[in-house]
Amino acid sequence: MFSRSPLSLPTACQGAKRWLIAAVLCSILLSFGQFNRYYLGVAMDVGINIILAVSLNLINGYTGQFSLGHAGFMAVGAYTAAKFSLVFAVAAPEPARPVLFLVALVLGGAVAALSGLAVGIPSLRLKGDYLAIVTLGFGEIIRVIVQNLEAVGAASGLKGIPKYTTLGWTFALASVTVYVVVSLVNSTYGRGFIAVKDDEVAASSMGINPVRYKVTAFVVGAFFAGIAGGLYAHHKQFLAPTGFDFLKSIDIVVMVILGGMGRTASVALAAVVLTLLPEVLRPVSEYRMILYALLIIGLMMARPQGLFAFGRRAVK
Amino acid sequence: MRKGIGMSAPSILSLREVTIRFGGLTAVSGLNLEIGESELVGLIGPNGAGKTTAFNLITGVYAPTEGEIRFAGRPVTAKRPHDLTKLGIARTFQNIRLFSSLTVFDNVRAATQLHRSHGVRMALWRGAAFAAAEAEVERGVMELLEIFDLGRVRDEIATSLPYGDQRRLEIVRALATQPKLLLLDEPAAGMNPTEKAELMRLIRFIKERFKISIMLVEHDMKVVMGICERIAVLEYGKKIGEGTPGEIRKDPKVIAAYLGTE
Ligand SMILES: Nc1ncnc2c1ncn2[C@@H]1O[C@H](COP(=O)(O)OP(=O)(O)OP(=O)(O)O)[C@@H](O)[C@H]1O
Ligand SMILES: [Mg+2]
């Protein structure tokens, strides 16, 4: 994203914010374009999946944890933001709506981040498979809670969510997500995430607090999953608890793995490819899921280091 | 309490009756040890004697079952490793533990960060203060790398370096935490005689230049006897001898347990 060359750290620092501003402005311009409804919908799916994959990559890729709870965090954000809009935004005057939408999204992100903290702290003593199971359990608990909560439509789903999500919102927030993750990791502070992944004992002997880093990764990752959830809610206008089951988490994990675990740009690219793939396969709809699965297996076997991971360097 | 021999400097580290048991095995047993300021102390003994375990106790990887550890005048028993590093204890590992997906430069950089306060907020804002702090880090890291002749490989993946370079890089990384006490666990392992001679020069140099105390675990007696001012000998977790290299060489208990008759 930013200067890949580590030749000089200060120059790598500068310009990053300018990139972000440019990306956000371009996204806003996109909002004014006229697009075919179908393509528009797919494009927003792409943007939302970029947010999900890039944020999960901070947890699973850079910090080396194995979370299967991303759909759960997404659900928390989606329901929180949707409920907020249904209560406050729908009755509000037109000009106030973008502001209220932003509030809804950030609120969804914040509540998701809190749940990230709640899951993160007790589970950090666990590693690998055990952490995966706990986060999986968390996702299922969220789904069951939502399924029984009348206030958010319970099993029949939450209907009538206003359609506030636009291409502009989606890609502006995707740009912010990429910026945050890339900036965090590409700093002296951020090398700690990778150090913790590589060797926790060595990291703590170098003065790095592994728990601090893992919790930070969980909270930041969950926050953006919550944002993605809010965008999703105001894009689909309908939320069903079944949309956030563990298969959704697996989808996001696959994007991260296919992106090479820990390269933001290639993880984002993998999110694009894996969102478009089922759409491209639509003409052969009967075999779609089988083909999709086979393609993923094939890709992983052909490029175990990640679809877009070139060269020997794992992380710069 | 047994006092270390030749102890004139105030002690920076002291272990009192430190014991650790793993199930039925007592890996370190009632260990008393004092390390003076700017002192270079060797810790030797046969395989499985408890040398690495002693390092793990001092660096907080394990908490002792019994006993007390004091560092720079304060009790530090069972403090967490990263807190001890902040207080000034750094180490290398017997089995090299470099960060395998980071470059040489970034391995050292990751170890400097505890001395900088710029955390999440500065990294995200990327303002002038951040650029200045990062420039400072880069300058410091490069200076260390150049001293140890590793500047030329700064952008190589650390674990792709030759073995001897990896050992030296681990020392550089430990120094980047700005320690008062440096623990080296078998730094000469796997080195050829030339590299070993170079390493001895290097350890002496570190002691002079950074004015720190060093504890050295090493099986190569040429290295240990050549540079240590004082040596403690462990066997089955117990200290069986302590003294200057000359004294240790003549100690019948040490000869029987470890040195043998050459
Ligand atoms: N975490 C642990 N759990 C159980 N036993 C352990 C543990 N760590 C060390 N030990 C045991 O404690 C004893 C001392 O081991 P230690 O690694 O400290 O020896 P050492 O003196 O460093 O030996 P070497 O010269 O081979 O490195 C050994 O018998 C070892 O098996
Ligand atoms: Mg050992």
Side-chain angles (χ1 to χ4, degrees), chain B residues 22 25 27 46-53 62 94 186 219:
Chain B
F22 298 111
L25 177 94
N47 290 114
K51 305 177 298 289
T52 298
T53 306
Y62 301 137
Q94 184 173 350
E186 301 198 18
H219 282 295

mmCIF file of all heavy atoms in Angstrom, chain B residues 22 25 27 46-53 62 94 186 219, ligand 1:
data_model
loop_
_atom_site.group_PDB
_atom_site.id
_atom_site.type_symbol
_atom_site.label_atom_id
_atom_site.label_comp_id
_atom_site.label_asym_id
_atom_site.label_seq_id
_atom_site.Cartn_x
_atom_site.Cartn_y
_atom_site.Cartn_z
ATOM 1 N N PHE B 22 9.545 -29.338 38.277
ATOM 2 C CA PHE B 22 8.586 -29.728 37.232
ATOM 3 C C PHE B 22 8.094 -31.104 37.608
ATOM 4 O O PHE B 22 8.804 -32.089 37.409
ATOM 5 C CB PHE B 22 9.267 -29.787 35.870
ATOM 6 C CG PHE B 22 9.828 -28.478 35.408
ATOM 7 C CD1 PHE B 22 11.199 -28.282 35.316
ATOM 8 C CD2 PHE B 22 8.986 -27.431 35.054
ATOM 9 C CE1 PHE B 22 11.731 -27.081 34.878
ATOM 10 C CE2 PHE B 22 9.510 -26.226 34.613
ATOM 11 C CZ PHE B 22 10.876 -26.046 34.528
ATOM 12 N N LEU B 25 10.609 -33.581 39.141
ATOM 13 C CA LEU B 25 11.988 -33.208 38.838
ATOM 14 C C LEU B 25 12.319 -31.816 39.379
ATOM 15 O O LEU B 25 11.634 -30.852 39.077
ATOM 16 C CB LEU B 25 12.183 -33.225 37.321
ATOM 17 C CG LEU B 25 13.568 -32.779 36.852
ATOM 18 C CD1 LEU B 25 14.466 -33.982 36.685
ATOM 19 C CD2 LEU B 25 13.452 -32.003 35.561
ATOM 20 N N ALA B 27 14.545 -29.036 38.823
ATOM 21 C CA ALA B 27 15.474 -28.617 37.777
ATOM 22 C C ALA B 27 16.506 -27.634 38.306
ATOM 23 O O ALA B 27 17.654 -27.620 37.877
ATOM 24 C CB ALA B 27 14.705 -28.010 36.603
ATOM 25 N N PRO B 46 27.030 -29.858 33.314
ATOM 26 C CA PRO B 46 26.682 -30.862 32.305
ATOM 27 C C PRO B 46 25.282 -30.647 31.711
ATOM 28 O O PRO B 46 24.499 -29.857 32.234
ATOM 29 C CB PRO B 46 26.749 -32.184 33.075
ATOM 30 C CG PRO B 46 26.795 -31.835 34.506
ATOM 31 C CD PRO B 46 27.255 -30.431 34.639
ATOM 32 N N ASN B 47 25.000 -31.356 30.641
ATOM 33 C CA ASN B 47 23.665 -31.269 30.008
ATOM 34 C C ASN B 47 22.581 -31.576 31.028
ATOM 35 O O ASN B 47 22.712 -32.491 31.824
ATOM 36 C CB ASN B 47 23.546 -32.270 28.862
ATOM 37 C CG ASN B 47 24.407 -31.863 27.688
ATOM 38 O OD1 ASN B 47 25.362 -32.537 27.343
ATOM 39 N ND2 ASN B 47 24.087 -30.740 27.087
ATOM 40 N N GLY B 48 21.543 -30.788 31.000
ATOM 41 C CA GLY B 48 20.417 -31.021 31.908
ATOM 42 C C GLY B 48 20.661 -30.551 33.330
ATOM 43 O O GLY B 48 19.896 -30.859 34.236
ATOM 44 N N ALA B 49 21.735 -29.780 33.535
ATOM 45 C CA ALA B 49 22.070 -29.330 34.888
ATOM 46 C C ALA B 49 21.126 -28.242 35.390
ATOM 47 O O ALA B 49 21.033 -27.999 36.595
ATOM 48 C CB ALA B 49 23.510 -28.821 34.922
ATOM 49 N N GLY B 50 20.447 -27.589 34.501
ATOM 50 C CA GLY B 50 19.506 -26.545 34.917
ATOM 51 C C GLY B 50 19.943 -25.144 34.542
ATOM 52 O O GLY B 50 19.381 -24.159 35.038
ATOM 53 N N LYS B 51 20.904 -25.018 33.632
ATOM 54 C CA LYS B 51 21.415 -23.698 33.263
ATOM 55 C C LYS B 51 20.356 -22.874 32.528
ATOM 56 O O LYS B 51 20.087 -21.724 32.867
ATOM 57 C CB LYS B 51 22.666 -23.849 32.378
ATOM 58 C CG LYS B 51 23.751 -24.707 33.015
ATOM 59 C CD LYS B 51 24.939 -24.911 32.112
ATOM 60 C CE LYS B 51 24.661 -25.634 30.810
ATOM 61 N NZ LYS B 51 24.359 -27.083 30.941
ATOM 62 N N THR B 52 19.765 -23.493 31.499
ATOM 63 C CA THR B 52 18.727 -22.774 30.740
ATOM 64 C C THR B 52 17.526 -22.483 31.636
ATOM 65 O O THR B 52 16.918 -21.414 31.557
ATOM 66 C CB THR B 52 18.305 -23.591 29.506
ATOM 67 O OG1 THR B 52 19.429 -23.750 28.653
ATOM 68 C CG2 THR B 52 17.193 -22.902 28.743
ATOM 69 N N THR B 53 17.213 -23.444 32.514
ATOM 70 C CA THR B 53 16.099 -23.224 33.436
ATOM 71 C C THR B 53 16.391 -22.026 34.346
ATOM 72 O O THR B 53 15.496 -21.214 34.627
ATOM 73 C CB THR B 53 15.847 -24.495 34.259
ATOM 74 O OG1 THR B 53 15.664 -25.590 33.369
ATOM 75 C CG2 THR B 53 14.602 -24.332 35.119
ATOM 76 N N TYR B 62 9.608 -18.825 33.647
ATOM 77 C CA TYR B 62 9.012 -19.633 34.713
ATOM 78 C C TYR B 62 9.047 -18.843 36.013
ATOM 79 O O TYR B 62 9.943 -18.041 36.233
ATOM 80 C CB TYR B 62 9.806 -20.927 34.951
ATOM 81 C CG TYR B 62 9.914 -21.835 33.759
ATOM 82 C CD1 TYR B 62 11.127 -22.449 33.456
ATOM 83 C CD2 TYR B 62 8.812 -22.100 32.946
ATOM 84 C CE1 TYR B 62 11.242 -23.302 32.367
ATOM 85 C CE2 TYR B 62 8.930 -22.942 31.857
ATOM 86 C CZ TYR B 62 10.141 -23.537 31.569
ATOM 87 O OH TYR B 62 10.262 -24.373 30.497
ATOM 88 N N GLN B 94 19.069 -20.565 23.607
ATOM 89 C CA GLN B 94 19.929 -21.692 23.225
ATOM 90 C C GLN B 94 19.576 -22.178 21.817
ATOM 91 O O GLN B 94 20.441 -22.380 20.985
ATOM 92 C CB GLN B 94 19.762 -22.814 24.251
ATOM 93 C CG GLN B 94 20.669 -23.990 24.001
ATOM 94 C CD GLN B 94 20.596 -24.999 25.144
ATOM 95 O OE1 GLN B 94 20.021 -24.741 26.202
ATOM 96 N NE2 GLN B 94 21.192 -26.157 24.937
ATOM 97 N N GLU B 186 24.520 -20.254 25.487
ATOM 98 C CA GLU B 186 25.341 -20.977 24.504
ATOM 99 C C GLU B 186 25.513 -20.211 23.192
ATOM 100 O O GLU B 186 25.166 -20.713 22.118
ATOM 101 C CB GLU B 186 24.759 -22.374 24.247
ATOM 102 C CG GLU B 186 24.692 -23.184 25.529
ATOM 103 C CD GLU B 186 24.553 -24.679 25.295
ATOM 104 O OE1 GLU B 186 24.833 -25.141 24.189
ATOM 105 O OE2 GLU B 186 24.186 -25.373 26.256
ATOM 106 N N HIS B 219 29.250 -24.279 26.784
ATOM 107 C CA HIS B 219 29.944 -25.551 26.978
ATOM 108 C C HIS B 219 31.403 -25.479 26.560
ATOM 109 O O HIS B 219 32.212 -26.300 26.995
ATOM 110 C CB HIS B 219 29.239 -26.671 26.197
ATOM 111 C CG HIS B 219 28.014 -27.176 26.868
ATOM 112 N ND1 HIS B 219 28.051 -27.823 28.088
ATOM 113 C CD2 HIS B 219 26.700 -27.107 26.540
ATOM 114 C CE1 HIS B 219 26.825 -28.148 28.458
ATOM 115 N NE2 HIS B 219 25.980 -27.715 27.530
HETATM 116 N N1 LIG C 1 9.337 -26.986 31.101
HETATM 117 C C1 LIG C 1 9.922 -28.080 31.606
HETATM 118 N N2 LIG C 1 9.162 -29.116 32.020
HETATM 119 C C2 LIG C 1 9.739 -30.230 32.522
HETATM 120 N N3 LIG C 1 11.057 -30.402 32.665
HETATM 121 C C3 LIG C 1 11.864 -29.404 32.266
HETATM 122 C C4 LIG C 1 11.336 -28.194 31.707
HETATM 123 N N4 LIG C 1 12.379 -27.382 31.410
HETATM 124 C C5 LIG C 1 13.486 -28.044 31.743
HETATM 125 N N5 LIG C 1 13.191 -29.257 32.262
HETATM 126 C C6 LIG C 1 14.159 -30.240 32.764
HETATM 127 O O1 LIG C 1 15.001 -29.601 33.658
HETATM 128 C C7 LIG C 1 16.331 -30.099 33.545
HETATM 129 C C8 LIG C 1 17.275 -28.968 33.293
HETATM 130 O O2 LIG C 1 17.125 -28.537 31.944
HETATM 131 P P1 LIG C 1 17.906 -27.304 31.338
HETATM 132 O O3 LIG C 1 17.398 -27.095 29.980
HETATM 133 O O4 LIG C 1 17.847 -26.175 32.265
HETATM 134 O O5 LIG C 1 19.381 -27.872 31.276
HETATM 135 P P2 LIG C 1 20.681 -27.165 30.724
HETATM 136 O O6 LIG C 1 21.627 -27.081 31.876
HETATM 137 O O7 LIG C 1 20.357 -25.930 30.027
HETATM 138 O O8 LIG C 1 21.206 -28.270 29.722
HETATM 139 P P3 LIG C 1 21.921 -28.122 28.286
HETATM 140 O O9 LIG C 1 23.360 -27.924 28.543
HETATM 141 O O10 LIG C 1 21.663 -29.422 27.626
HETATM 142 O O11 LIG C 1 21.275 -26.981 27.604
HETATM 143 C C9 LIG C 1 16.303 -31.139 32.458
HETATM 144 O O12 LIG C 1 16.207 -32.413 33.048
HETATM 145 C C10 LIG C 1 15.062 -30.796 31.682
HETATM 146 O O13 LIG C 1 14.505 -31.942 31.097
#
